[in-house]
Structures are given as structure tokens and as C-alpha cells.
Amino acid sequence: MQKLDQEPFLWIELRYAIVFNRDQLAFKTLFKTFYSDLYEFGYAIIKSAEPVEDIISEIFMKLWLLEDKLMEIENIKTYLFRSVRNNAIKYLERQHAHVDISEIIDFNYQYPSVEQEYISSEKLKMIQQVIEELPSKCKMAFTLVKELGCTYHETAAIMEISTNTVDRHIQLALRRLRDSIILKKINN
Amino acid sequence: MDQDQFLKLLNKEIQGTLTAEERLLLERLTTDNPDNGVLYHFIRNKYRTQPSTNEKADKAFDQLWHKLEDTDASGPVPKRDAIKGRYHLYLLAASLMIFFLAGIWWYSSRESSIEYKIQYSSGKGEKRILNLPDGSTVWLNGDSKLYLAADFNKKERRVKLVGEGFFAVAKNKQHPFIVSYNDSEVKVLGTKFNIRAYQDENKTQTSLVEGAIELKSKKNGETYRMVPGEKLTIASNGIVHPAKDKIGRIMVKRTALTVQTGEKMPSEALWMENKLAFEADPMSIVASKISKWYNRNVVIDNTELEKITFTGTMENYSLEMALKTILTANPTLHIREENESIILY
């Protein structure tokens, strides 16, 4: 992910190799660059492995069959994440046809248990607890920004909301985190 | 108070819009207050994709590729990573590929002998819309010619352009559409683009509006891949010396297409809407455009005028109005008439 973020021209090159040379290696590079992150993102919405794998596979199949229409995709990252989000929600809607979908949709991102410098594991657990309790959309925005390296602009495009709304989601997440860190200290 | 400021700065840190001054302040707030420190370090510690997941991605990709192979002819053409049992098929494919590549080489080496049969042409000051047999549409600007290869649409769709044309190419993957002009050629699948390649102008301009094209310059042997909204200008052997850079290479310039306010198309394609558009054009191009548009001989008599440019769009202007507009925009410019010719100096 890092490389594509920093080098927008890499996408231009990959895109050409896919469109003109039908280059399998270029296509695979694209796939592997995004696969894990798309999977974790989709899994956070659906919470079941197989449908997420199917959704990602379908998106990339469609991408390959777009042929030269692929040239119209400016930001491949937002295109992919938005597709996963929309298809995951559609999947849930199909699964729960007669229920208000907004009550079902939650976003439970599996935070990787990476050693955090400067932060004790106990504090980290508490932080993750707070994040888990955030409203679903706020959680998704925060995860896209912090864990998946999206800009506010990209996050807005993926979630189909305004950049201002993204900003408000992030502000809320930060405030809740800060408040609970202080509260925790008082309680101890 | 301090707390709200801390959150504001943290938000900026996430967006990467922190100034050096604000960074100092943020760092002070985090060292002064250990609670802030916890959140600050949590935010800064970004998760990186674990390499262990790559195996899973490989497997998922292989499955996807198999599915694509099964879909249809537009699916992938597998290359080296052959699957067991199909080996002979790949050998066959490889030898066919060699034949094919050799064919391309042979084909391009004898390119000068390509036979063009059909010719469309437009007179000075005239525009034509051509509907080609493959469903593509070409708009020809004044004083231009389009030739169709004798075997157009058999293996490929090869045409030659002299002058200016806007191409809306019908999609057909089996028969690539190739335009030759001056010392370049572009290969496209299905797209919209404009080519200006008059032989009396000192450069060719290729502007891509939609889709994708691959441009090959025979001058320097380079291939250029263009993205929509891009213009490629190549210096050519016109009347004026071709521009070269310090080490003698042909000048190739990539620029973005500009859409002037109130217009729907980039300036390069406005001629189709009967608008005479100039986009930072030097006077030699201005003169050339005007003479082709109004069918009058307009020339420049001072190479210094190359440094003066003109930008603007004219709709339903008379020749007099057009010249007056350009003169008003450039007070140093003079004009005289001599034997039916208009001379700018």
C-alpha cells in the first residue's frame, strides 16, 4: 500500500500494462498490494470470510474486464475500498431482507496486535475498547484514516460522505479517546 | 483549553497539515502531559501490512485468474507460469507469439510501403465529418487529408493523417486502430483524441480526451503512454528548425489539456464546434490556424514573433475581427497586406 500511495505514477504504469499488454504480473501486483487491507476492511463489515473473498474476487474480475475503461479510474485505492464497502452492505441487505439494515451494520475492525512503542498493552486494550464503542460510521472513518492510511478526501470518497463529515467523525473519535484516557486515570 | 488545542493539533497531524511551529507545540503538549502522550503515540503508530498474509493473497489471486480464464475470449492470455498438463499449449502459444512478433517487425519495417486506397480530404476553411466503415467517426479540420489502408479493418485499422483530425474510435480489440502522421503513430483500442499534424507547422500535437493511446515517435524511437487530459507536442521538421534540447534530442513536451471557462471541450478540440481556439499558441501557429480557417495566406515575417503567444476562442468572427483581436492583445504586433497575403511582423 505504501508504494502506491507515494507514487501515483505507479498506478499509471500498472494501468497501462493491464490495458495494453494484458499483463498478468501487473494485475497481480495490483491485487497483492491491496488484498489484505481490502479483506480486513470487508471482514469488519460482514464478519464472515467467504463472502468477503468472493466480493474481492468479483471486484477484481470486473476490473480486468473493464479493459480500456480502466483508464478512467484516477484513484484506484478509493475505487477498490468503495467497491468493497458497497458490495459488503449489499450482501448484508440480501441476507437480512426484512430488517432495517442500519441496525445490523457495524464495523468491527480486527486491530492487529502489534507491539506498540511507548504504550503499555493494558492501555492499548483500553484504547481499542473505546474505539469499539464508537458509532459504526465514525469507526469506519477512523480506521480508514489511521489504519489504512487514507486521506480525509479519500475516506470521504470511499464512504460517499463529505470531507467535513469525515473531519467530524475523526474529531469525535479523538475526543472520546482523550476523555477515556483521562477518566481511566482518575478511576485508578 | 489546552486539551482542545491538543486535539486540534492531533487532527492536523493525522492529515499531515501540521506546520513546523505547530509540531513543536504538539510535542510540548505531549511531553508535558503523559495522557496526551498515550494518544499521540497511538495515533502515530501506524499498522503495516504483515508479509504473512501474502500467501493468502497469492492463493486468492490464482483462483481469480482461473475464473478469468474460464470466462471468455477477453480473458487473460497466460504467459510463463504455465499450469501442468497444458505445457504443449503454451509452447504452441509461444511459437505463435514469435511468429506474431516477427510479423509485427516485418510489418513495421515495410510500413513505408503500406498501400493506402481511400482518401478523404477537406479544403481550406472547410470541415468534414467522416464515418469510417468500422463505425469510427473522424472530424477533419480544414486543409486536411485522411487515407485508409487498402486492408483497413482486416487485421488492423490503419489510417494516415495529414492535417488535423478529431478521432472517436469505435471499440474493437481484435483490430487495433493505428494513425500515422508525420513521424509518429498512435495505437488505440477505442478512445477520443485530436491530432494536429500539418506539414507546414513546426510541431505535431496529440491531445487525448478520453481512453488510452500509445504514441510511438519514429524520430527518437520512444513510446509514450498518454493519460486522458494530456497533450504531447513533438517538434518536427517544419519550415522553422525543429526545436532541440541542449544535447540535441528532439523536443517532446507533455502538458495538461486546458478547458477554457464556459467551454465543454479542451481548446484543442473546439474547432469541431466551429470555434477557432488558441491555447498559448506562438504566432507561427496563430498565423497557420487563421490561414487554414479563413482560406487566406497569413504568414509571419519576424522569427521573434515565436515568443509572442495568444490564447482565446473565437466564434463567428470575421477575418478582420480575428486579426484585430490578436493585434489588440499584442500591441507590439504589426500587420500589412501584400499580394493577397497578410503579413504579421
Side-chain angles (χ1 to χ4, degrees), chain A residues 16 36 68 146 152 167 178, chain B residues 3 11 42 53 58 190 226:
Chain A
Y16 256 102
S36 323
D68 60 333
K146 188 188 168 286
Y152 285 17
D167 192 33
R178 194 263 331 261
Chain B
Q3 281 299 309
N11 194 328
F42 174 73
T53 54
D58 276 329
M226 293 177 63

Side-chain angles (χ1 to χ4, degrees), chain A residues 109-132:
Chain A
Y109 192 81
Q110 292 301 305
Y111 281 82
S113 45
V114 195
E115 287 273 315
Q116 298 260 346
E117 268 182 291
Y118 310 109
I119 306 174
S120 69
S121 58
E122 178 206 0
K123 272 192 182 128
L124 192 63
K125 221 182 237 169
M126 192 272 292
I127 287 175
Q128 282 167 358
Q129 181 69 33
V130 176
I131 293 173
E132 232 156 77

Side-chain angles (χ1 to χ4, degrees), chain B residues 63-194:
Chain B
Q63 279 172 3
L64 165 71
W65 197 254
H66 275 293
K67 261 194 244 166
L68 276 171
E69 278 179 308
D70 294 340
T71 23
D72 64 350
S74 64
V77 188
K79 283 180 203 155
R80 263 150 297 174
D81 16 328
I83 306 131
K84 269 183 204 164
R86 285 202 182 172
Y87 188 63
H88 60 284
L89 251 181
Y90 290 106
L91 260 183
L92 180 68
S95 47
L96 279 177
M97 188 66 121
I98 290 167
F99 264 106
F100 182 62
L101 289 174
I104 287 178
W105 174 80
W106 176 77
Y107 205 81
S108 47
S109 63
R110 57 141 217 172
E111 198 197 294
S112 50
S113 65
I114 284 173
E115 201 189 325
Y116 291 98
K117 242 191 179 145
I118 306 163
Q119 178 194 328
Y120 304 94
S121 57
S122 57
K124 280 196 175 189
E126 186 197 26
K127 280 179 215 69
R128 284 189 67 182
I129 297 180
L130 315 173
N131 291 309
L132 304 188
D134 68 322
S136 298
T137 309
V138 179
W139 285 259
L140 269 190
N141 203 349
D143 196 18
S144 303
K145 289 184 181 68
L146 186 80
Y147 304 88
L148 259 58
D151 59 352
F152 182 82
N153 217 7
K154 286 218 176 77
K155 257 184 272 166
E156 53 185 22
R157 298 174 281 169
R158 192 176 270 276
V159 301
K160 191 166 98 181
L161 173 76
V162 179
E164 181 161 32
F166 184 91
F167 294 78
V169 174
K171 206 168 155 181
N172 185 338
K173 229 184 53 185
Q174 273 73 41
H175 304 114
F177 195 100
I178 300 164
V179 192
S180 302
Y181 52 104
N182 270 0
D183 283 313
S184 305
E185 66 176 46
V186 295
K187 188 174 144 192
V188 311
L189 300 169
T191 173
K192 289 185 181 149
F193 58 100
N194 190 70

